[in-house]
Amino acid sequence: MANDKLVLARTNIENLVSNLRGEVGEAITTWLLMRHFIASAQQQQSGNIDKDVSNKNVQFAHLLGDKLSDELVGRLSELAEKKIGQLTFYFAARKLGLFEAEADAFTAYILKSKIRDKRNRDVSHKQLPGEANKQTYLHIEYRVLLRAVARALRLMKRIDRHVLGPCAPFVWKEARKRRYDFLSPPRAGYMLVPYLNLSPEERVQIVLQELAEKRTRLTEEPTMINGKPAKILACKQWGVIVLGNALLGLGSYPLIKLDNLQMGEPSDDAEGAPAGAPG
């Protein structure tokens, strides 16, 4: 217990959440690959049992699907462990002081669905039966694994929403678009999810939410407007500036330096409205 408290105190929350996200990403990638090879095996089956049994491509696809299923069983079981110092939802919940009920619910599902039993029997942490031939094969259905992955992803997104803030739903949406752009190892890509490039419109929404939640504040930044020195309010992290009563997302971020803004002459329709984008 004393050692657990020491580990909790010394653990950097950003590092823990980043690596936990990487483990969830590994589980997602394993599921994607497993689904691919299951579908591949089904597509190559002829309906003739004798031919399918002797078809090396069908055998290969089935074998890889089974191996990936076992890997997914192992990863989900590890995420569900109630241990401090390992990449588990329990560890993250204890460190944050939040989501303990959700972490317990995830662990309960892994136990109820016998995913952990499958790991201990056939994958790793193998338990030797007392007598020969007493242990029967335990099959975990695809839908059960899919539901477990969905639960892990849902909980990870909630943790990210708390740690990263309003940007979390936006970067996860972007990550989904890149789900099939595999990196090796997959965890690396998911650890970098907070740094995915977002559109100016999305960044404006993030700044508005962060201001509402008091997670950020606007700062005065020196610039030039039509060649004259001026100051403008900006959120440097997201590359968003204030023009009149509106927020404008710049083309790139974070904002390092705002060199010059070209403003158009007032018109009859919108007095003082900017005529062009920041230069």
Side-chain angles (χ1 to χ4, degrees):
M1 181 64 71
N3 186 56
D4 285 351
K5 290 182 178 179
L6 184 61
V7 173
L8 283 167
R10 289 181 173 178
T11 299
N12 177 275
I13 187 60
E14 286 78 14
N15 184 50
L16 170 58
V17 171
S18 177
N19 280 277
L20 183 62
R21 188 189 311 111
E23 284 302 303
V24 173
E26 289 278 359
I28 293 171
T29 302
T30 301
W31 163 68
L32 289 172
L33 294 172
M34 180 186 73
R35 184 180 66 173
H36 170 81
F37 283 106
I38 290 174
S40 178
Q42 292 174 345
Q43 290 171 1
Q44 295 183 64
Q45 288 177 346
S46 64
N48 185 310
I49 296 179
D50 292 334
K51 287 184 178 180
D52 290 340
V53 168
S54 60
N55 187 324
K56 297 298 182 183
N57 289 330
V58 173
Q59 292 178 21
F60 184 74
H62 276 304
L63 179 60
L64 279 176
D66 290 343
K67 287 291 185 182
L68 289 165
S69 176
D70 285 347
E71 181 185 340
L72 188 54
V73 162
R75 289 192 178 278
L76 292 169
S77 298
E78 290 299 316
L79 286 170
E81 292 286 351
K82 285 197 168 186
K83 293 183 178 179
I84 300 296
Q86 296 184 12
L87 291 176
T88 66
F89 286 124
Y90 175 77
F91 185 19
R94 286 287 304 276
K95 178 64 181 179
L96 290 168
L98 296 167
F99 309 115
E100 292 191 34
E102 291 87 341
D104 287 343
F106 178 76
T107 298
Y109 180 78
I110 297 300
L111 293 173
K112 180 181 178 181
S113 61
K114 298 189 180 299
I115 290 176
R116 182 179 291 177
D117 288 345
K118 172 68 174 178
R119 181 200 65 177
N120 293 345
R121 185 181 298 187
D122 299 322
V123 182
S124 63
H125 303 70
K126 291 185 179 179
Q127 299 169 348
L128 182 67
E131 299 179 32
N133 301 322
K134 285 291 185 179
Q135 190 161 288
T136 58
Y137 177 75
L138 177 59
H139 173 68
I140 304 297
E141 294 183 5
Y142 172 82
R143 62 179 179 82
V144 173
L145 292 174
L146 176 59
R147 190 170 298 167
V149 172
R151 283 172 173 259
L153 178 57
R154 190 180 306 120
L155 180 50
M156 189 67 244
K157 286 181 177 180
R158 292 198 64 186
I159 292 172
D160 267 339
R161 179 60 178 84
H162 175 76
V163 175
L164 300 179
C167 72
F170 294 93
V171 293
W172 270 106
K173 180 181 177 182
E174 187 65 27
R176 183 180 177 85
K177 297 177 185 176
R178 308 182 186 202
R179 183 177 281 180
Y180 291 95
D181 297 336
F182 299 118
L183 292 180
S184 182
R187 73 173 66 89
Y190 282 88
M191 290 174 71
L192 293 173
V193 160
Y195 305 100
L196 292 177
N197 193 50
L198 300 176
S199 70
E201 294 76 17
E202 290 172 324
R203 287 183 277 120
V204 166
Q205 293 182 55
I206 291 170
V207 171
L208 287 172
Q209 291 182 42
E210 287 190 350
L211 288 171
E213 296 177 16
K214 294 182 171 54
R215 284 178 171 264
T216 192
R217 63 187 183 89
L218 302 177
T219 58
E220 283 192 342
E221 300 298 327
T223 186
M224 301 288 287
I225 297 181
N226 294 340
K228 297 180 181 180
K231 289 186 177 181
I232 193 167
L233 289 174
C235 177
K236 297 182 70 174
Q237 177 186 359
W238 295 110
V240 172
I241 62 174
V242 179
L243 287 180
N245 295 322
L247 296 181
L248 175 67
L250 303 179
S252 60
Y253 68 102
L255 175 62
I256 305 300
K257 184 180 179 182
L258 194 59
D259 291 326
N260 187 34
L261 287 172
Q262 294 297 327
M263 309 290 286
E265 294 296 328
S267 65
D268 294 335
D269 296 329
E271 184 175 352

